[in-house]
Amino acid sequence: RKNPFYPVVFVSIGRTIFAVWKENFNYSPIFWRKCSADLTSVTWSESRPGILYLTRIDGNMEAWDILGNCCYNNNYLIIIYI
C-alpha cells in the first residue's frame, strides 16, 4: 500500500513482519518490525504522513508512528485492544 503523502514509499506485511519500502531502493526495506501476532492488514493514515495502522489476527490493532515523533526518538507504538 502506497503512502498518500509520499507515493514513492509503501508498506507490506508478511505474517508477523511489516516493512516500509521506497521505490528505486529495492535492496532492503527502509524500516521493518516484527510483531507479536500474525498481521491481517495494513493501511496508512490519511491525515498524518508517518502513521501506520496494522490489524492483527488476535483482533487487536496497532498504530505506529514511523517518523519517530516521540520524545525518546524511537518509533511510537500504540496497541488498541478491541
Side-chain angles (χ1 to χ4, degrees):
R1 198 167 257 270
K2 290 192 174 196
N3 186 308
F5 296 92
Y6 307 108
V8 297
V9 176
F10 59 97
V11 64
S12 65
I13 58 171
R15 194 157 174 148
T16 59
I17 296 174
F18 75 93
V20 177
W21 303 81
K22 185 175 183 227
E23 287 181 2
N24 301 325
F25 187 78
N26 52 3
Y27 303 105
S28 65
I30 56 175
F31 174 85
W32 69 273
R33 287 293 181 267
K34 185 173 182 174
C35 298
S36 59
D38 287 355
L39 300 170
T40 56
S41 68
V42 62
T43 191
W44 293 99
S45 169
E46 294 184 12
S47 60
R48 298 194 49 203
I51 303 292
L52 281 171
Y53 299 107
L54 301 152
T55 56
R56 303 184 333 191
I57 200 161
D58 62 5
N60 294 315
M61 184 176 90
E62 296 182 3
W64 285 81
D65 180 355
I66 64 163
L67 294 180
N69 295 331
C70 178
C71 55
Y72 300 109
N73 200 16
N74 291 326
N75 300 102
Y76 190 58
L77 166 66
I78 299 170
I79 300 176
I80 300 168
Y81 297 99
I82 299 173

